[in-house]
Structure formats: C-alpha cells, structure tokens
Amino acid sequence: MKVLVSAGTYYFIKKQIKISNTAYLLQTGGCRASCKFCTQSALSTADKTYLSRVKWYPLELEEIKDYLSTFDRVCLQTVIKEGFEDEVIKVLSKINSRHKSVTITPVSDALLLKLKELGVDYLGVGLDTVKSLWKEVGKPYSFDYYMDFIKRAVKVFGARHVYVHLIVGLGESEGELVNTMEELYSIGAEVALFAFTPVKGTPFESKQRPPLEYYRKIQKIRYRLSTGKDSEIAFLTSGCPSCDRPYYNESPLDRTLYNIPLRDFKWS
Ligand code: SF4
C-alpha cells in the first residue's frame, strides 16, 4: 500500500536529515471534494503530489514504517475517495508510533472510536473557512454538519484534542473569523491556523496571500483564546503537540514566515 510522504519526511527517510518533529503522510489518489484552494481537489489541475506548496512522494508504507516511528508524531492527512476510511484503518494499523494524528472530513462515531483505539490522540478537521464563504470556497457537506462533527469528535477525543484548521485570507471578514474561533473554543475544540497560499492549477490561483499584519493579528487572538494570555511567541505553528509543518505556507527563501515551525527558529 502506497502513501504520500511530505518532502521533509522524505528527506529523513532517504538522507537521514530531520527537519521536522512530525512525519507527514497523505492518502494517494486526490480528493472528490471541490475546495477551490486545494491542490487535491477535483477542480484542481495541479499535480496531485502537491498539497499546498509542498511536494509529496509516493512510497510503500511497509518499507518506511520503521522510519516513521522515530518521529515524535505521525500525522495522516486523508482525502475523500472510495474506501478512504478502510485505508485509514489499514495505514494506522501498520504504524507503531507513540503519537498519531489524523485530519479527516466528517465520518461516523464508530470510525472515530476506531481511530482512537488505533492510537490517534489528536484529530484534525479542515473546517477551513467561515459559514458565509462555505459555498464560495466549495467546501463539501455544510458548515453546520462540520460543526456537529467537531462536537462529536470532541466527545470522543476530549477537550482540546480536536484541532480545527482555519485558513486566513480566503476573503472572510475579521469579525466572522474571530467569532468562528470563539465558537470553536467554546465547544472544546482547538484551532490551527494556516495562511492562504495560492497554488497554480487551483481555482484560487490568482488570489492574493493575506497581509502579514492581518495574519499576525489573528495569530495573537487565537493564542489568547487558547491560553488566556498574550505572548511574544504567538507566531509559532499552531496544531497538535510536535506539529511544525515547515514551509507549508511559504518558501524557505521568504524572509518572513507566517507560521514559525520551531521554538529555536532564528528570526532573520
Ligand atoms: S476536503 Fe480536504 S483534501 Fe478534499 S479538496 Fe477539500 S481541503 Fe482538499
């Protein structure tokens, strides 16, 4: 069974150079949904071995599973395709890692319980945008269906163990974005922020990236909602413990990073 591994994870497997604390995996085959920002979307003509601006490499899970267990966490990104739920179970059953995360679209409670049984301690959910932009962004199901799923997931994984992904810069108003984050924290979820990244071949390829000042403001608000404090380090990548996803939103050549991946990263 093949899985896609992120460029950073691939370099560790091939050259033993570790640039992230988490190993990142992605299901093969592309997604049936039509999210307009996403390279995996059915609407995208971009190479399906890209997610955001990161290149991923197909490898046999059996051949790489021992490398994966040397990371602090393994994070599996799912797509919507025929049999994706069964494949998730098979992939997780083969990985012997201390900590596992799965990012998934709405599924049954029975599958959530199975994921927990297979060692998943944090769940990711790509809500991605606010209610008023749902159709324009092309998200599957409905906003309310996702919110109900997030509540069900919090019941299974516990408070603050469900990270809801939000993309800043899809055209949302600041007020609706902040209200959405407040609602998510009030139901026991956490928020992981991404900066919108235009990728060639996607319907949103010509949209602009969000201004950094706006992103910084949203990062500070998220940090305060999460911890109750203001902090100088609000700009670190937000997500599960050990989540870093380096250069997911920006090129290594960019002088300023939207998300700073490591605590000891030197600001240039
Ligand atoms: S559901 Fe997720 S993987 Fe599928 S197109 Fe939307 S963002 Fe991409």
Side-chain angles (χ1 to χ4, degrees), residues 120-148:
V120 173
D121 56 350
Y122 283 84
L123 197 82
V125 182
L127 183 71
D128 296 325
T129 195
V130 295
K131 188 169 185 173
S132 68
L133 287 184
W134 198 257
K135 284 213 166 71
E136 191 179 327
V137 169
K139 292 294 299 173
Y141 312 115
S142 69
F143 182 88
D144 291 344
Y145 191 66
Y146 263 75
M147 291 303 275
D148 178 64

Side-chain angles (χ1 to χ4, degrees), residues 18-241:
K18 202 176 250 185
I19 65 161
S20 68
N21 296 317
T22 294
Y24 296 94
L25 307 181
L26 166 65
Q27 286 188 305
T28 57
C31 184
R32 284 181 178 170
S34 303
C35 306
K36 292 182 186 163
F37 57 84
C38 180
T39 47
Q40 295 296 312
S41 153
L43 296 180
S44 163
T45 58
D47 183 340
K48 290 290 186 285
T49 61
Y50 277 80
L51 184 60
S52 187
R53 54 166 304 285
V54 175
K55 168 84 175 160
W56 300 63
Y57 297 83
L59 293 175
E60 276 299 333
L61 182 59
E62 201 58 45
E63 288 166 20
I64 63 168
K65 62 182 190 183
D66 292 342
Y67 290 104
L68 299 179
S69 59
T70 70
F71 286 83
D72 294 344
R73 173 172 297 276
V74 174
C75 172
L76 172 63
Q77 167 75 49
T78 66
V79 294
I80 302 175
K81 64 175 181 179
E82 193 174 346
F84 80 93
E85 290 142 313
D86 290 342
E87 189 181 279
V88 169
I89 292 171
K90 280 187 201 145
V91 171
L92 292 172
S93 306
K94 285 186 183 293
I95 298 171
N96 185 22
S97 175
R98 278 174 299 155
H99 300 290
K100 300 176 192 171
S101 301
V102 171
T103 296
I104 202 158
T105 45
V107 292
S108 67
D109 285 355
L111 183 61
L112 290 178
L113 289 165
K114 183 70 185 170
L115 297 182
K116 192 173 181 189
E117 188 188 311
L118 290 168
V120 173
D121 56 350
Y122 283 84
L123 197 82
V125 182
L127 183 71
D128 296 325
T129 195
V130 295
K131 188 169 185 173
S132 68
L133 287 184
W134 198 257
K135 284 213 166 71
E136 191 179 327
V137 169
K139 292 294 299 173
Y141 312 115
S142 69
F143 182 88
D144 291 344
Y145 191 66
Y146 263 75
M147 291 303 275
D148 178 64
F149 173 61
I150 292 162
K151 285 179 196 159
R152 288 195 284 116
V154 169
K155 275 197 191 134
V156 172
F157 290 93
R160 303 299 178 90
H161 279 248
V162 177
Y163 269 88
V164 179
H165 301 182
L166 287 175
I167 302 175
V168 177
L170 287 171
E172 73 283 349
S173 72
E174 183 184 318
E176 189 175 5
L177 182 58
V178 173
N179 287 345
T180 305
M181 289 201 290
E182 285 172 348
E183 187 178 352
L184 289 166
Y185 279 101
S186 77
I187 62 174
E190 261 285 354
V191 170
L193 292 176
F194 295 72
F196 168 65
T197 306
V199 185
K200 205 168 167 21
T202 62
F204 282 175
E205 66 178 15
S206 306
K207 258 188 182 306
Q208 295 297 304
R209 299 203 290 179
L212 186 68
E213 308 73 55
Y214 172 51
Y215 194 72
R216 290 283 182 257
K217 189 174 180 188
I218 300 298
Q219 282 176 304
K220 284 186 190 169
I221 294 169
R222 187 213 69 86
Y223 190 88
R224 202 179 317 123
L225 288 170
S226 176
T227 65
K229 300 178 205 153
D230 295 317
S231 169
E232 289 300 308
I233 59 161
F235 311 138
L236 293 171
T237 303
S238 46
C240 309

